[in-house]
Amino acid sequence: RRTRFISVVSTVALLGLALGVMALLVVLSVMNGFDRELRTRILSMVPHVLVHAAHPLQDWEPLATALEQDPAVVGVAPFIGGTAMLSTPGVVRGVELTGIRPERDARVSPIGRYMVQGDLAQLRPGAFGVVIGNLLARSLGVQPGDHVTLMLPELSVTPAGAYPRMRRFRVVGIFAVGAQVDATTALIHLDDAARLYRTGGGVQGVRLALADPDLAPVVRERIASALAAGLVAEDWSVSQGSLFSAIRMEKRMVTLLLLVIVAVAAFNIVSILTMVVAEKRGAIAVLRTMGASPRQVMAIFTVQGSLIGLAGLGMGLAAGIPLAWHIGSVAGWIEQALGLRLFNPNVYFISYIPSQVRLADIVLIAGCGLALAVLATLYPALRASRIGPAEALRYE
């Protein structure tokens, strides 16, 4: 009580630990939110499981009926597709072209909910209409009703020579999912795709939608074991797994970096307890002469440091959980107050800060913070337990 400096340093250490815990919780929650947004938007466009053949399937309905019997499958739809190029005067863009049947595609993709202009129903056989993402439409400078030229990476041999296969399409709709697919995806009718790719009315495969996309690897293995020869099953973890693996790796690295802040604050406890031990040498010696064991003296300082860590951890969680939960509203208020835009909707796929508070993150942060605080007490507490009574009381 006589040393105010120790009290000030203790308060600083407590606040530093609370700030580090709060920052770590908020950042992890925001990263969880971005991961959820990406997963929801991207997995709404890509097939959860894809069954395709080396040669066009002329009779795909029995295969679709058999696959729909799996309890994890909620929809099956045929497709024809590949890479292509869309061009307007002076502009050429590469796209992932997919031929669909709008009435069946609704079972496997919610793209209809993301239409901002036009309608998927306007994709009619023989009309050669195309639905594209809003970013692709902006880069090509087209609107519904405009025409684009579609080119396939295949050659057509004519008397005048070999030329890329081309066809003029009319833009009948524009969608905005809010992800990279808006800049790389084009949809046409299945019958038009069959004519372009010369499949003879067959399809390249079927797309499956699952009730739980996270079960895609398990469902793929189950389906693959029952497929006929010549059919191959793939899941979204093959085509999109690298993206989500990179997000998980980034989250781990950010967690480790922010844990350094918590560690610095926690190890301030070392300096605090070292000063307390130096000040209380006489009191420690008296306790030893009264019968206190070294282990009991060590426990006193371990409990004191742990209480500082628990207080900082509690303050950090008490402030961090509500802030992480409402970070979007807080960011919106800051934008209004300062007249700034944190996320320009013309550049980023979302214009707000998403957040998802997970119990596992709270438990991880609390466990790491408490462990660091306890570890920080061990050295000062060990020094206190080794103080000899005679030597400490010699000059008292």
Side-chain angles (χ1 to χ4, degrees):
R1 288 196 299 267
R2 294 194 304 269
T3 307
R4 291 187 177 182
F5 179 72
I6 295 178
S7 299
V8 171
V9 175
S10 300
T11 303
V12 170
L14 187 148
L15 294 177
L17 184 60
L19 183 61
V21 168
M22 182 183 69
L24 181 56
L25 180 58
V26 171
V27 171
L28 290 185
S29 299
V30 170
M31 295 193 70
N32 292 337
F34 277 109
D35 178 70
R36 179 192 59 194
E37 291 291 329
L38 280 174
R39 183 179 292 269
T40 300
R41 294 169 186 265
I42 292 178
L43 294 187
S44 67
M45 286 295 296
V46 302
H48 300 159
V49 177
L50 195 69
V51 177
H52 59 87
H55 303 286
L57 294 172
Q58 301 299 329
D59 189 17
W60 57 269
E61 287 88 351
L63 174 63
T65 302
L67 293 174
E68 285 176 335
Q69 303 306 312
D70 192 292
V73 177
V74 296
V76 180
F79 80 94
I80 299 174
T83 57
M85 290 190 294
L86 289 180
S87 67
T88 56
V91 182
V92 179
R93 293 289 182 269
V95 298
E96 289 292 331
L97 182 67
T98 305
I100 64 171
R101 279 193 176 177
E103 66 277 8
R104 288 193 67 101
D105 198 66
R107 305 180 185 181
V108 300
S109 173
I111 187 65
R113 298 201 304 263
Y114 296 107
M115 297 297 297
V116 293
Q117 291 179 277
D119 191 350
L120 277 180
Q122 296 182 37
L123 291 177
R124 301 185 182 92
F128 291 98
V130 61
V131 173
I132 59 179
N134 65 330
L135 297 180
L136 181 58
R138 187 183 308 162
S139 65
L140 292 172
V142 296
Q143 292 291 329
D146 296 338
H147 288 81
V148 295
T149 300
L150 188 145
M151 294 179 287
L152 297 182
E154 298 179 12
L155 295 179
S156 296
V157 180
T158 67
Y163 294 93
R165 195 176 303 166
M166 295 187 295
R167 181 75 195 196
R168 194 167 175 80
F169 278 75
R170 185 172 65 90
V171 179
V172 297
I174 296 176
F175 62 85
V177 175
Q180 186 61 27
V181 292
D182 292 344
T184 59
T185 302
L187 305 174
I188 62 175
H189 195 277
L190 188 71
D191 293 349
D192 296 341
R195 293 179 61 181
L196 282 174
Y197 286 94
R198 298 176 180 176
T199 62
V203 301
Q204 293 177 349
V206 292
R207 300 185 298 164
L208 281 67
L210 306 181
D212 185 0
D214 292 330
L215 296 178
V218 177
V219 176
R220 176 188 58 79
E221 292 182 1
R222 185 166 64 233
I223 289 175
S225 62
L227 290 177
L231 295 177
V232 179
E234 298 178 354
D235 64 87
W236 66 266
S237 65
V238 176
S239 59
Q240 304 292 329
S242 59
L243 171 63
F244 294 104
S245 296
I247 293 174
R248 287 193 295 269
M249 179 62 68
E250 183 180 4
K251 181 180 177 181
R252 294 192 189 103
M253 294 306 299
V254 170
T255 302
L256 290 175
L257 291 174
L258 291 179
L259 274 176
V260 173
I261 299 176
V262 178
V264 170
F267 280 101
N268 282 336
I269 298 174
V270 176
S271 59
I272 297 168
L273 293 184
T274 300
M275 289 186 291
V276 172
V277 169
E279 181 190 3
K280 302 296 183 181
R281 288 177 62 88
I284 295 170
V286 171
L287 288 175
R288 290 295 307 278
T289 58
M290 294 175 64
S293 66
R295 180 173 296 181
Q296 289 175 320
V297 173
M298 187 175 180
I300 291 173
F301 290 95
T302 301
V303 170
Q304 180 182 1
S306 299
L307 288 177
I308 296 174
L310 279 174
L313 186 62
M315 289 177 60
L317 293 177
I321 293 176
L323 180 59
W325 198 271
H326 300 286
I327 188 65
S329 301
V330 173
W333 179 83
I334 294 175
E335 288 180 342
Q336 291 181 354
L338 301 180
L340 301 175
R341 291 299 300 272
L342 297 178
F343 295 99
N344 187 343
N346 295 325
V347 178
Y348 302 99
F349 67 89
I350 57 175
S351 57
Y352 61 94
I353 298 180
S355 178
Q356 183 182 21
V357 181
R358 295 179 180 173
L359 179 61
D361 291 336
I362 296 176
V363 173
L364 173 66
I365 294 170
C368 290
L370 184 59
L372 289 172
V374 173
L375 287 174
T377 65
L378 296 182
Y379 172 71
L382 187 61
R383 284 193 58 186
S385 67
R386 292 178 177 177
I387 292 177
E391 182 66 25
L393 294 175
R394 176 177 298 176
Y395 304 105
E396 291 292 332

